[in-house]
Amino acid sequence: MKKIFALVLLPLLFSCTSLQQDVNIEQVSYSAEVLSFEERFAFIDADSFLPQSDSEAEKENRERVEKFIFDIDKALEDNSVQKASRARLFALAGKAYLVSGSKSKASAMYEKSVSEYKGDTQGVILAHRLGLLSTNNIEEKVNEVSERNLLVLERAINLFQQKRYADSVAKFDESFLSLAEFYQAAYGKIRNLSWNFRNIDADSDSAELLSLPEITVSQMLSIAKGKSDFLYNLAGGKKMSDREFYYKVSSTGLLDSVSAESPRVESDEKASKYLSARFLWNLYNARKKSANPKKYSEKFKKSPVMDLQLDSPDFDAVLGCVEGEFMSLEDGRNFYGEKTVSGTEFDSYVEKMENAR
């Protein structure tokens, strides 16, 4: 009789809100295959919140999502997969369908997830994204699931979408403390974007430029103008169109190569790391009134950077920016100068150059 009474009483105790934080929530273990799907989706999901550089990138992402859903469907054909794992896979599939734009299929996956195991953390997140759970309610769920930091991460993403960037950074950092490392690797891009936006008016032109995955030379100059007193003075304090400002900067030689002759830089060119280094090195030397911007090509008989030729038009610019720590060698040996730069990347270069002595 005592055992029956205890079994009846136990659910009542667990349903009591006041005791929720004292309850040890059941930890569900997942197979390596399920965790692998979770890791794959983290990168798909994070990329879906970032602007795409071009139609080719969008196509690649669509194909990645389709392949992910196909692979989950195959995994779910195995009837030996436990209910908790099936619930998680259905929830991940639902989130993937949302990324692909199919809310109806995402809803169907949510129903299947709940039928297998109610309360799965990824299922809670899917419910939130489907509009079945408000932001306030998802915060209340933090104490009801074992993987609370997944919900903190979801809140960080939500704050990013609301353009509450400083709050978003704080939530991302909180969530990364106890989540697997791949979460930071995936969502760190959004966190860093929030960090760069934190002191910028969310509706300003600067915020729009910083969100671009690739920028043109004209856009590069616009970002720099907002941070550099030298460029502000160059414009004479006048409001100029991007085109006018490009011609003004170009006429001063700030876009000319230092080490050797090179073709004229056009305003609509994609800004590469080489062009970024060229402009920043010229700007740095103009600000400091440096006597010898060609000091590296005069000194070195062999390039210290593996993928930078001694006769490169940007030899001095690259070495100057690397030594000045405005820019870096990505792997410690190569500069990868042909790579295009994003708005946030270039913004960070300018900030470092402005703070350099």
Side-chain angles (χ1 to χ4, degrees):
M1 189 69 180
K2 289 181 180 180
K3 290 183 178 179
I4 295 174
F5 179 75
L7 290 173
V8 172
L9 181 60
L10 188 60
L12 295 176
L13 289 173
F14 273 79
S15 65
C16 180
T17 305
S18 63
L19 296 179
Q20 275 182 346
Q21 296 196 20
D22 298 324
V23 174
N24 291 321
I25 301 161
E26 179 185 2
Q27 295 281 347
V28 178
S29 60
Y30 297 99
S31 68
E33 182 180 33
V34 173
L35 295 174
S36 174
F37 277 119
E38 194 147 10
E39 181 172 354
R40 281 176 63 185
F41 183 73
F43 288 90
I44 291 172
D45 190 44
D47 287 346
S48 72
F49 294 103
L50 298 170
Q52 301 302 313
S53 56
D54 51 39
S55 57
E56 187 62 31
E58 290 179 2
K59 180 184 176 184
E60 288 179 6
N61 284 336
R62 282 197 303 271
E63 291 174 350
R64 188 165 54 145
V65 174
E66 290 170 2
K67 179 68 166 59
F68 179 81
I69 293 172
F70 176 83
D71 289 344
I72 275 195
D73 287 343
K74 294 293 289 183
L76 285 165
E77 290 177 3
D78 183 355
N79 293 325
S80 67
V81 177
Q82 295 180 347
K83 280 184 170 293
S85 292
R86 292 180 68 82
R88 175 138 300 193
L89 291 177
F90 278 126
L92 290 173
K95 291 171 73 176
Y97 274 121
L98 274 183
V99 171
S100 72
S102 180
K103 188 173 181 178
S104 60
K105 289 183 178 179
S107 296
M109 292 297 103
Y110 173 70
E111 294 299 329
K112 289 184 178 181
S113 177
V114 171
S115 68
E116 293 286 351
Y117 181 82
K118 192 173 183 179
D120 176 76
T121 313
Q122 292 290 1
V124 171
I125 294 171
L126 177 57
H128 175 246
R129 296 191 183 184
L130 286 168
L132 303 175
L133 196 64
S134 70
T135 299
N136 288 336
N137 285 338
I138 198 172
E139 289 187 334
E140 292 172 4
K141 292 282 186 181
V142 165
N143 294 320
E144 298 178 24
V145 297
S146 59
E147 302 159 294
R148 65 175 302 276
N149 274 333
L150 282 178
L151 298 188
V152 177
L153 177 65
E154 179 70 5
R155 181 59 177 144
I157 294 168
N158 188 243
L159 289 166
F160 172 78
Q161 292 176 300
Q162 294 174 9
K163 300 182 180 180
R164 293 171 56 186
Y165 299 118
D167 293 334
S168 177
V169 170
K171 286 296 181 183
F172 273 120
D173 289 346
E174 180 185 346
S175 71
F176 292 156
L177 287 174
S178 60
L179 286 174
E181 289 183 5
F182 68 78
Y183 279 102
Q184 185 168 354
Y187 293 95
K189 291 177 284 187
I190 308 177
R191 185 265 178 205
N192 292 340
L193 198 59
S194 294
W195 174 260
N196 287 320
F197 286 0
R198 71 195 186 283
N199 295 322
I200 295 175
D201 180 356
D203 297 318
S204 69
D205 293 338
S206 296
E208 183 177 350
L209 288 175
L210 293 185
S211 69
L212 297 173
E214 292 181 332
I215 55 173
T216 64
V217 168
S218 180
Q219 291 165 337
M220 176 183 81
L221 298 181
S222 293
I223 292 171
K225 182 170 62 174
K227 285 183 169 288
S228 170
D229 290 339
F230 183 90
L231 292 177
Y232 178 82
N233 293 332
L234 183 66
K238 298 177 182 177
K239 186 171 178 59
M240 294 183 173
S241 68
D242 289 348
R243 191 73 177 166
E244 289 172 332
F245 189 64
Y246 158 75
Y247 281 119
K248 183 70 175 179
V249 171
S250 185
S251 68
T252 64
L254 291 175
L255 292 173
D256 294 345
S257 57
V258 169
S259 307
E261 289 188 12
S262 63
R264 172 191 172 97
V265 175
E266 299 297 334
S267 64
D268 58 354
E269 281 186 49
K270 294 290 186 184
S272 65
K273 289 185 68 179
Y274 278 139
L275 289 181
S276 299
R278 180 185 305 184
F279 170 67
L280 291 172
W281 184 236
N282 284 331
L283 182 57
Y284 176 78
N285 285 296
R287 285 174 59 239
K288 298 294 183 181
K289 299 180 181 178
S290 302
N292 189 13
K294 296 182 66 174
K295 62 182 181 179
Y296 298 102
S297 55
E298 292 176 358
K299 174 184 177 181
F300 286 95
K301 301 302 180 185
K302 181 181 178 181
S303 175
V305 179
M306 287 191 65
D307 64 347
L308 179 68
Q309 299 300 316
L310 194 62
D311 60 355
S312 166
D314 298 304
F315 183 83
D316 287 281
V318 170
L319 292 191
C321 287
V322 170
E323 185 178 49
E325 298 183 348
F326 325 148
M327 303 175 75
S328 62
L329 303 179
E330 294 186 19
D331 57 4
R333 299 181 300 171
N334 295 284
F335 185 69
Y336 301 112
E338 299 293 344
K339 286 178 63 175
T340 57
V341 299
S342 68
T344 53
E345 284 173 326
F346 184 73
D347 181 76
S348 69
Y349 301 157
V350 179
E351 186 166 341
K352 291 173 185 175
M353 186 274 296
E354 284 292 313
N355 293 328
R357 295 182 178 181

